[in-house]
Amino acid sequence: MYMAYGWPQVIPLEAGSCPSSQRIVYLKLAGRQLLVVSPSHLELWGSSQQRVRLGKYMRDEKSVREEGENLQAVWSPDSKLIAVLTSSFFLHIYKIKFMDKRIKTGERQPSELSFATISLLLSEQVPFAGEDLSVSNFVRDSKTMLLGLSDGCLYSISWKGEFGGAFSIGSHPSDSNNDRLLPYTLGNGIVSGVASATLASDVKISTKSAIVQLELCTRSKLLFVLNSDGQLVVCSVNKKGLKYTESIKAEKKLGSDAVCASVASEQQILAVGTRKGLVELYDLSQSMSLLRTVSLHDWGYSADYTGPVNSIAWTPDNSAFAVGWKLRGLAVWSVSGCRLMSTVRQIGLSSASSPKINQDCKYEPLMNGTSAIQWDEYGYKLFATEEASCDRILAFSFGKCCLNRGVSGKTYVRQVMYGDDRLLMVQAEDTDELKLLHLKLPVEYQYISIIPFCSFAVSLPEVDLLYVAFLVQVSYITQNWPVQHVAASEDGKYLAVAGLHGLILYDIRFKKWRVFGDVSQEQQIHCKGLLWLGKIVVICNYIETSDTYELLFYPRYHLDQSSLLCRKVLLGKPLVMDVYQDYILVSYLPFIIHIYHAKIFGELTPSSKAELQLSTVRELSIMTAKSHPAAMRFVPDQNPRESDLDNDNLSSDLSDREPSRCLILRGNGELSLLDMVDGRERELTDSVELFWVTCGQSEEKTNLVEEVSWLDYGHRGMQERDDPFMQEDFLQLDPELEFDREVYPLGLLPNVGVVVGVSQRMSFSASAEFPCFEPTPQSQTILHCLLRHLLQRDKNEEALLLAQLSAEKPHFSHCLEWLLFTVFDAEISRPNSNRKQISEPGHLKKLSLLRKACDLIKHFPEYYDVVVNVARKTDARHWADLFSAAGISTTLFEDCFQRRWYRTAACYILVIAKLEGAAVSQYCALRLLQATLDESLYDLAGELVRFLLRSGREIEQAPTESDTLSPKLLGFLIFGSSHKKSPLDKSSSSFKEQSPHIASVKSILESHASYLMSGKELSKLVAFVKGTQFDIVDFLQRERYGCAQLENFAAGLELIGQKLQMSELQNRLDAEFLLAQMCSVKFKEWIVVLATLLQRSEVLYDIFRYDLRLWKAYSMTLQSHSGFAQYHDLLQVLEEKLSAIAREESVRGSIS
């Protein structure tokens, strides 16, 4: 798995001698060297940690004018020769010669790079120069180059400059009845049966179709010839090489829309790009069968915007591939179809129409299309060039995940990604958030030096972190670049990191690096794999002098030859390795398995001397025609074997026994289980990309995935598996474990019960030309899947224990809800004949899975919320089935009501109305309304009011039935009224004129309003009015001389001032609301009080200007009370305004 991080780097290129074609001709990496061929010159760059131009060759203007610009190029396998064909059909062969002196990129140690000179060896016009032909790209082996021509022929040229001539592709005789019908995909992973490949016929390939691209797979001895009509011809070649042109025969033909192709030799997969912007993946090992198709269409981009596929490049390990489009953008996909990276900004998922493009947007790399792409030898960098541009190369940085493959150990507790010089570790916080810890390797170190690291939320862009650099003699990451292997210890406390040489350990708790004290010892270690055996780090070391491999065992507290616990010479190069407790598995080619047992004598402490003995306990040699294993993992025995029971040799603890089975993931994605006792191998599934063994992998009691044997991931998504020797239906796919197609799973956090994945995000900065790529962790809980898995196997006690361990974990309530929902949804989706057991007597049936799920969830207080939330998400027609297993709805409501869980109880009202009738729901709602008002839950009370009014109207409009049930439930309600007046009709002044349902609700509301007004709880009154839409105006008009009356102005002002603290904004807003209501009913006493508290002089002025006697009493009251001194400024303002009015009136009187 590959994920982009950081900002793209720019490699500037030399400006040519005015070329007419602004396009990179050829881009190729070999080892740590990058070759760039432009229309008028060649450049050789170092592609390692430092970007250094090693050499160049600039053609002069005369050469370009007479012989043409560079048109096609190819690099020899030994990286010594470069062949270039010009537009005037001159063949140039260049030689690269490296100097002896190494380049010093730092102050202390020289690098492995050397400057080079590029010289022209040969310049000769090809024989077909005058035939008005166009040419394809080159393909080559160590002796011969092939070139495709527009007349449908191939042309052979040797590296010595000898022209072999043109030839046509032959074909093998075949029977037309043997044509294969291959599936054709309609979308990402969707397949339909349509003929897309046929065997080649007896006749030769049509000479009318021009050859536009060649692709050679040396390992499979296949040559792919792409014609201009979109037809891809698969040809076989001679084992001895391309020199034997007569052996090149057409085998199959593919499609009619292809524009480019690329082969993953390790995976035996052919990727074919089409004019429609799609990439089709074919399985070369299965007669060219179509696997799946990937594209950006589901992200809102059609071929009209991206254009046809222009180039495809596989990662070095063939686990992912990059796709460049001719008009816009670059993306990286996994083999299973997960989008790992894209330079095209995502607009919307499943958008049928393509979004509009802002051509002025400078934040998108490769906005004008992608010309060529190449991965470096380790997959840490992806180099890309843009269409119509030859002045720079973009380099995208990628991090890789520890995917439990090959000889690298599993990372079960820690999910780690690693770049060429840094680690990115996913960490679960106490909150629901996942974070990435960016840990940069020490550039320079001294023994047991402390290198601090920084952590930050992944939503922030990557920043340059500060690290303490200790200036000593050797720079580890410079001399041993890049990172090759990473493994986390079983307890998650240490990380082992190895570059090209040596090994360093990182203590996660104390943030310390531990390195070899002796640099000479470090340089003797060529790490090819890492394992953790408890507190011991196991290094698979390659000895270059003797071409042998060995296992080295070091305690994690000391890396030194004096502390070496054991050295074990291996049979040969290990293919895969694994460890479980004290047992180590090593596999060799063709398929030999050795199982070792490690026994430690002494204590593993710095103060004592320990010794480790390694003994071989099992050897297997299996003859098979299947592909080689890519990963093998022990599967601990969860149940005793029959042979152990018969021989009475069962260990008291199954975990102490030697594992007798292992899972095998082969290179072609086939997953199988091997019994290492009898050698029996059972195929489980195919198309698997990675897997995790979960049982027996953690000693902690909080491991939440112990009961599932393993999980695997492929193009079908995530699947949980059980022991196939204990149960036959282990291949059931769980759709709830699927991630989005842009989130790639990294592994498990067993103590949290989630699958952790990572997706790409981009952040933008005005100061940067390109966005910053950010890997963002995502999590998906699997607890509900595990619980359902246990309940299906009648492991109810184990399920309860697992749930109890998970009760404090994030999203526990959500997991229980998903458990009940998925079980209930499956229950109601089955035919009725399969659900008869629900209605059968209890002693005749086995508990249904729905009943078992409900019984499990009842042990937790979340039960009431879970049940009603599931009901709300399903059709009301099926509620009876749900509550037949979950319990009577009124009983559940009463339990919530007694526990004062009013919000949960309110959710049951609709269920009760459906199952028990409207009368019962009205009774429950009225009780709940009174309780919520007492608790000041006014928003919830408002929902209940609306339900009661709506339900009351429905009851009135429905045909009336017998009233015998109503006295028992609603003694205070009288049914059968024909009153249909709206409850908002303000002309009704008597309860007798209203419906009994509406009258009951209004009585409760007015009673509560009177209670609040009597106690002058004005803030609650405002919240009550707003939440329930209570008619406060009508209430104030009727209670003017009742509960709303103010007996004394001074006392009222003091009391209301204490209730409404005007220093708080919300209280001022409440007072403004009440003032507006009082003004509407002209309640003068309240207006004066509230306007005084708010110091609204304009309101008081309007009152006092017509009643000066009231003004004098008001002024005297405020002046006589010391507690009202804060209003003296208000009095002064009013005095000035009223005095001005008095003077005006006196003037008018004197005039009259």
Side-chain angles (χ1 to χ4, degrees):
M1 191 282 301
Y2 294 76
M3 192 63 61
Y5 70 90
W7 285 273
Q9 300 174 358
V10 176
I11 302 177
L13 299 179
E14 291 279 349
S17 55
C18 302
S20 60
S21 175
Q22 293 290 331
R23 187 176 184 272
I24 297 296
V25 174
Y26 186 69
L27 184 69
K28 182 69 175 179
L29 278 106
R32 297 190 177 186
Q33 300 162 14
L34 172 65
L35 174 64
V36 184
V37 179
S38 296
S40 61
H41 66 282
L42 294 77
E43 295 186 41
L44 187 64
W45 286 77
S47 63
S48 60
Q49 194 174 13
Q50 291 81 22
R51 304 284 183 265
V52 181
R53 183 186 288 111
L54 305 179
K56 64 180 179 180
Y57 183 90
M58 306 292 295
R59 295 177 58 192
D60 55 34
E61 294 184 4
K62 179 181 179 181
S63 172
V64 174
R65 183 175 59 255
E66 295 179 355
E67 299 181 355
E69 299 176 357
N70 298 331
L71 182 64
Q72 299 290 345
V74 67
W75 204 357
S76 65
D78 59 6
S79 303
K80 295 181 179 180
L81 299 176
I82 305 170
V84 178
L85 184 68
T86 68
S87 58
S88 298
F89 296 115
F90 279 83
L91 178 67
H92 294 174
I93 296 182
Y94 299 90
K95 181 179 180 181
I96 301 175
K97 184 178 180 180
F98 289 95
M99 302 178 181
D100 296 334
K101 187 177 180 180
R102 301 290 185 181
I103 299 175
K104 293 187 64 176
T105 57
E107 296 182 358
R108 308 213 187 307
Q109 292 293 327
S111 67
E112 296 182 0
L113 300 176
S114 300
F115 286 116
T117 58
I118 303 177
S119 57
L120 180 64
L121 291 182
L122 172 70
S123 176
E124 185 174 350
Q125 194 169 31
V126 296
F128 57 83
E131 300 181 18
D132 192 24
L133 297 174
S134 60
V135 296
S136 73
N137 63 303
F138 283 102
V139 292
R140 86 291 188 264
D141 58 15
S142 60
K143 296 181 179 180
T144 307
M145 299 174 281
L146 287 185
L147 191 67
L149 305 180
S150 57
D151 61 0
C153 295
L154 296 176
Y155 200 91
S156 173
I157 306 174
S158 73
W159 282 104
K160 296 180 180 179
E162 300 170 345
F163 299 104
F167 64 94
S168 298
I169 302 174
S171 61
H172 288 297
S174 62
D175 189 352
S176 61
N177 295 327
N178 292 332
D179 290 358
R180 299 185 181 273
L181 183 68
L182 298 179
Y184 180 74
T185 185
L186 302 177
N188 290 345
I190 305 175
V191 176
S192 173
V194 178
S196 60
T198 59
L199 297 176
S201 60
D202 293 339
V203 298
K204 294 184 178 181
I205 301 300
S206 173
T207 58
K208 295 183 180 180
S209 298
I211 298 176
V212 295
Q213 185 191 353
L214 299 177
E215 179 74 15
L216 178 65
C217 181
T218 306
R219 178 172 179 175
S220 302
K221 305 300 179 185
L222 292 177
L223 175 66
F224 299 89
V225 180
L226 179 61
N227 296 325
S228 59
D229 59 2
Q231 186 180 77
L232 183 66
V233 182
V234 184
C235 305
S236 59
V237 298
N238 195 293
K239 295 181 179 179
K240 296 181 181 180
L242 299 176
K243 180 179 179 180
Y244 301 91
T245 58
E246 69 279 358
S247 300
I248 300 178
K249 303 292 184 180
E251 303 286 348
K252 294 183 178 67
K253 293 180 289 184
L254 281 175
S256 60
D257 194 36
V259 291
C260 65
S262 182
V263 181
S265 57
E266 296 291 335
Q267 297 275 6
Q268 289 293 286
I269 296 177
L270 171 67
V272 179
T274 68
R275 293 186 179 93
K276 296 179 180 179
L278 310 177
V279 177
E280 299 171 347
L281 301 181
Y282 293 89
D283 188 350
L284 296 179
S285 64
Q286 297 293 330
S287 301
M288 300 295 294
S289 61
L290 184 61
L291 297 174
R292 66 194 61 90
T293 296
V294 298
S295 72
L296 288 179
H297 178 74
D298 289 337
W299 282 268
Y301 291 91
S302 67
D304 294 337
Y305 289 91
T306 62
V309 177
N310 206 25
S311 54
I312 302 174
W314 288 88
T315 57
D317 60 0
N318 293 170
S319 64
F321 58 94
V323 180
W325 287 272
K326 189 173 183 63
L327 299 183
R328 180 188 184 188
L330 169 73
V332 178
W333 306 81
S334 71
V335 176
S336 60
C338 180
R339 195 190 72 169
L340 304 176
M341 173 265 194
S342 176
T343 63
V344 182
R345 297 180 64 178
Q346 178 173 335
I347 300 298
L349 200 61
S350 301
S351 175
S353 61
S354 297
K356 295 183 179 179
I357 299 176
N358 180 10
Q359 298 294 342
D360 297 330
C361 178
K362 69 172 184 176
Y363 296 116
E364 184 177 313
L366 305 171
M367 188 70 181
N368 297 320
T370 304
S371 172
I373 47 179
Q374 281 283 310
W375 293 91
D376 71 359
E377 62 174 327
Y378 302 108
Y380 291 123
K381 296 289 184 183
L382 175 62
F383 298 92
T385 60
E386 193 167 10
E387 281 283 340
S389 174
C390 60
D391 58 349
R392 66 181 183 180
I393 299 174
L394 297 184
F396 298 87
S397 299
F398 279 80
K400 297 190 286 187
C401 176
C402 306
L403 289 182
N404 302 339
R405 285 175 172 263
V407 292
S408 292
K410 58 182 177 294
T411 56
Y412 185 70
V413 178
R414 299 286 182 180
Q415 309 308 324
V416 182
M417 297 172 59
Y418 56 94
D420 57 348
D421 62 351
R422 71 193 64 203
L423 306 179
L424 296 88
M425 183 171 59
V426 178
Q427 177 170 298
E429 299 292 324
D430 295 334
T431 61
D432 297 345
E433 183 181 10
L434 291 177
K435 290 187 177 181
L436 275 181
L437 300 182
H438 279 232
L439 178 61
K440 203 166 185 179
L441 298 187
V443 177
E444 299 184 5
Y445 66 84
Q446 59 188 13
Y447 182 58
I448 315 184
S449 60
I450 301 177
I451 307 296
F453 74 102
C454 297
S455 64
F456 56 90
V458 294
S459 59
L460 299 177
E462 183 183 4
V463 296
D464 294 331
L465 307 180
L466 294 177
Y467 298 92
V468 178
F470 295 89
L471 300 177
V472 291
Q473 293 183 353
V474 182
S475 171
Y476 177 79
I477 196 59
T478 300
Q479 188 170 356
N480 301 299
W481 182 91
V483 174
Q484 295 285 318
H485 303 278
V486 178
S489 61
E490 296 178 2
D491 56 11
K493 297 179 180 179
Y494 281 81
L495 293 177
V497 184
L500 290 180
H501 299 88
L503 173 78
I504 54 176
L505 301 180
Y506 183 72
D507 189 329
I508 298 176
R509 296 174 302 167
F510 299 105
K511 304 176 180 62
K512 292 183 178 181
W513 289 103
R514 180 166 288 124
V515 299
F516 275 92
D518 190 338
V519 177
S520 62
Q521 296 181 17
E522 176 186 79
Q523 295 303 305
Q524 292 174 4
I525 294 179
H526 298 256
C527 182
K528 300 300 180 182
L530 286 174
L531 293 174
W532 281 93
L533 184 68
K535 298 181 180 180
I536 300 172
V537 59
V538 184
I539 305 172
C540 178
N541 184 38
Y542 172 64
I543 306 174
E544 190 173 4
T545 55
S546 59
D547 192 25
T548 58
Y549 293 83
E550 63 180 0
L551 295 181
L552 303 178
F553 297 78
Y554 286 96
R556 69 186 186 187
Y557 60 79
H558 193 201
L559 294 180
D560 190 81
Q561 192 69 30
S562 61
S563 300
L564 182 65
L565 300 175
C566 180
R567 184 191 301 268
K568 173 66 177 180
V569 179
L570 298 179
L571 181 65
K573 180 181 180 180
L575 188 62
V576 295
M577 297 196 307
D578 187 36
V579 63
Y580 174 71
Q581 294 186 352
D582 297 334
Y583 296 91
I584 300 176
L585 179 150
V586 182
S587 176
Y588 312 94
L589 288 175
F591 195 16
I592 301 173
I593 300 175
H594 285 187
I595 308 296
Y596 302 101
H597 179 256
K599 189 173 183 180
I600 301 175
F601 297 90
E603 296 183 0
L604 283 175
T605 60
S607 59
S608 61
K609 180 66 175 178
E611 183 180 352
L612 185 145
Q613 289 185 359
L614 204 64
S615 58
T616 304
V617 296
R618 192 179 302 275
E619 294 183 0
L620 291 88
S621 181
I622 301 175
M623 301 297 294
T624 179
K626 297 181 179 180
S627 61
H628 299 313
M632 297 177 65
R633 294 290 174 261
F634 282 119
V635 178
D637 293 326
Q638 296 178 280
N639 299 278
R641 302 175 65 90
E642 294 182 0
S643 59
D644 295 331
L645 295 173
D646 296 339
N647 299 330
D648 295 329
N649 62 351
L650 180 63
S651 171
S652 59
D653 188 357
L654 290 174
S655 63
D656 295 336
R657 300 174 62 248
E658 173 194 346
S660 59
R661 294 172 297 172
C662 69
L663 279 171
I664 303 174
L665 176 61
R666 301 187 181 274
N668 60 357
E670 177 184 311
L671 185 66
S672 59
L673 186 66
L674 174 66
D675 190 320
M676 294 182 290
V677 176
D678 54 20
R680 180 165 58 104
E681 183 177 352
R682 177 174 179 178
E683 184 176 342
L684 303 179
T685 184
D686 57 4
S687 299
V688 174
E689 194 167 335
L690 60 152
F691 69 96
W692 304 270
V693 176
T694 56
C695 58
Q697 297 296 320
S698 177
E699 298 178 357
E700 298 188 29
K701 297 181 180 179
T702 57
N703 182 13
L704 306 184
V705 294
E706 183 70 27
E707 291 295 335
V708 177
S709 296
W710 66 87
L711 299 170
D712 61 63
Y713 173 78
H715 76 90
R716 303 184 188 94
M718 187 80 68
Q719 301 181 70
E720 63 178 26
R721 309 286 185 175
D722 194 14
D723 195 332
F725 292 120
M726 304 301 298
Q727 183 171 311
E728 293 299 326
D729 59 346
F730 66 97
L731 290 181
Q732 180 180 1
L733 172 65
D734 194 333
E736 300 303 324
L737 284 176
E738 294 185 10
F739 271 110
D740 294 333
R741 280 170 294 145
E742 56 184 12
V743 181
Y744 194 90
L746 296 179
L748 305 174
L749 292 179
N751 300 329
V752 184
V754 299
V755 177
V756 177
V758 64
S759 64
Q760 173 208 290
R761 294 292 182 268
M762 290 190 293
S763 63
F764 301 88
S765 172
S767 61
E769 180 182 4
F770 299 123
C772 177
F773 292 88
E774 300 172 358
T776 304
Q778 309 282 341
S779 65
Q780 177 174 316
T781 178
I782 58 174
L783 176 61
H784 60 287
C785 302
L786 305 179
L787 293 175
R788 183 172 64 252
H789 180 88
L790 293 173
L791 294 177
Q792 286 175 334
R793 295 190 293 162
D794 293 326
K795 291 190 173 184
N796 301 334
E797 294 182 1
E798 290 84 349
L800 177 59
L801 177 60
L802 176 60
Q804 289 172 342
L805 290 173
S806 314
E808 301 300 326
K809 303 300 180 183
H811 307 300
F812 177 67
S813 178
H814 175 74
C815 295
L816 296 182
E817 183 178 326
W818 267 110
L819 168 65
L820 185 58
F821 176 80
T822 53
V823 170
F824 180 54
D825 185 64
E827 192 79 31
I828 62 180
S829 299
R830 291 187 301 168
N832 291 331
S833 59
N834 295 335
R835 291 194 281 144
K836 290 182 178 179
Q837 60 173 345
I838 295 179
S839 58
E840 293 177 357
H843 64 282
L844 296 177
K845 69 174 183 180
K846 182 181 178 181
L847 280 179
S848 68
L849 184 60
L850 177 61
R851 182 65 59 84
K852 289 189 287 187
C854 291
D855 291 343
L856 170 67
I857 304 173
K858 281 180 182 177
H859 289 85
F860 302 94
E862 293 87 354
Y863 177 69
Y864 300 94
D865 283 309
V866 166
V867 171
V868 75
N869 287 340
V870 170
R872 294 167 62 184
K873 294 178 180 178
T874 54
D875 196 318
R877 294 175 299 172
H878 303 296
W879 284 356
D881 293 335
L882 174 62
F883 284 90
S884 66
I888 302 173
S889 58
T890 52
T891 303
L892 298 175
F893 168 84
E894 190 64 29
D895 290 344
C896 295
F897 188 83
Q898 296 300 328
R899 300 185 185 195
R900 304 166 70 92
W901 296 344
Y902 298 134
R903 295 189 182 275
T904 304
C907 297
Y908 281 94
I909 296 296
L910 289 177
V911 178
I912 294 174
K914 176 68 177 179
L915 301 181
E916 307 295 338
V920 181
S921 66
Q922 283 265 320
Y923 171 70
C924 295
L926 286 169
R927 291 178 59 203
L928 189 57
L929 174 60
Q930 186 62 61
T932 54
L933 292 176
D934 294 341
E935 295 291 333
S936 302
L937 302 174
Y938 298 122
D939 56 341
L940 181 57
E943 295 293 335
L944 291 169
V945 168
R946 285 184 282 275
F947 166 78
L948 285 165
L949 297 180
R950 182 176 64 253
S951 177
R953 287 194 296 268
E954 292 173 355
I955 291 175
E956 295 168 21
Q957 295 170 1
T960 58
E961 299 178 357
S962 173
D963 297 336
T964 56
L965 293 178
S966 56
K968 296 181 180 180
L969 302 173
L970 303 170
F972 54 90
L973 292 180
I974 303 174
F975 288 85
S977 172
S978 60
H979 183 70
K980 301 294 189 298
K981 187 177 293 186
S982 170
L984 300 178
D985 187 356
K986 299 182 180 180
S987 64
S988 61
S989 60
S990 173
F991 293 168
K992 294 181 180 180
E993 299 178 17
Q994 296 179 334
S995 161
H997 309 286
I998 299 173
S1000 300
V1001 175
K1002 190 169 184 179
S1003 175
I1004 294 176
L1005 295 180
E1006 290 192 348
S1007 175
H1008 188 70
S1010 298
Y1011 165 76
L1012 295 178
M1013 182 58 81
S1014 298
K1016 302 302 182 287
E1017 300 291 343
L1018 300 184
S1019 292
K1020 291 185 178 180
L1021 179 64
V1022 173
F1024 163 72
V1025 172
K1026 291 182 178 179
T1028 62
Q1029 302 300 309
F1030 178 69
D1031 191 353
I1032 185 66
V1033 173
D1034 181 65
F1035 171 77
L1036 291 174
Q1037 288 175 343
R1038 287 186 286 104
E1039 295 295 331
R1040 179 184 293 269
Y1041 302 105
C1043 62
Q1045 184 177 9
L1046 290 176
E1047 297 292 343
N1048 182 275
F1049 168 71
L1053 180 61
E1054 183 177 5
L1055 176 60
I1056 297 173
Q1058 294 174 355
K1059 295 289 186 178
L1060 293 176
Q1061 296 292 331
M1062 290 296 102
S1063 59
E1064 297 181 9
L1065 176 61
Q1066 185 58 50
N1067 289 340
R1068 293 187 62 85
L1069 295 176
D1070 293 342
E1072 292 281 3
F1073 176 82
L1074 286 175
L1075 178 60
Q1077 304 303 319
M1078 297 301 177
C1079 290
S1080 64
V1081 296
K1082 296 180 174 56
F1083 208 150
K1084 186 176 295 186
E1085 293 86 346
W1086 276 95
I1087 294 174
V1088 172
V1089 171
L1090 293 172
T1092 302
L1093 290 173
L1094 292 169
Q1095 299 199 20
R1096 295 283 297 276
S1097 60
E1098 69 279 4
V1099 176
L1100 295 171
Y1101 171 73
D1102 289 338
I1103 294 177
F1104 296 147
R1105 65 183 297 184
Y1106 302 111
D1107 193 346
L1108 293 179
R1109 186 169 57 89
L1110 179 61
W1111 156 246
K1112 291 180 180 181
Y1114 173 81
S1115 175
M1116 186 180 301
T1117 302
L1118 293 184
Q1119 291 177 359
S1120 61
H1121 286 72
S1122 59
F1124 297 153
Q1126 55 183 320
Y1127 304 115
H1128 289 175
D1129 292 339
L1130 176 64
L1131 285 175
Q1132 185 177 356
V1133 173
L1134 291 172
E1135 180 70 31
E1136 293 176 357
K1137 289 184 177 181
L1138 293 173
S1139 299
I1141 291 295
R1143 287 194 298 270
E1144 291 178 2
E1145 290 180 354
S1146 61
V1147 171
R1148 283 197 298 268
S1150 62
I1151 293 175
S1152 61

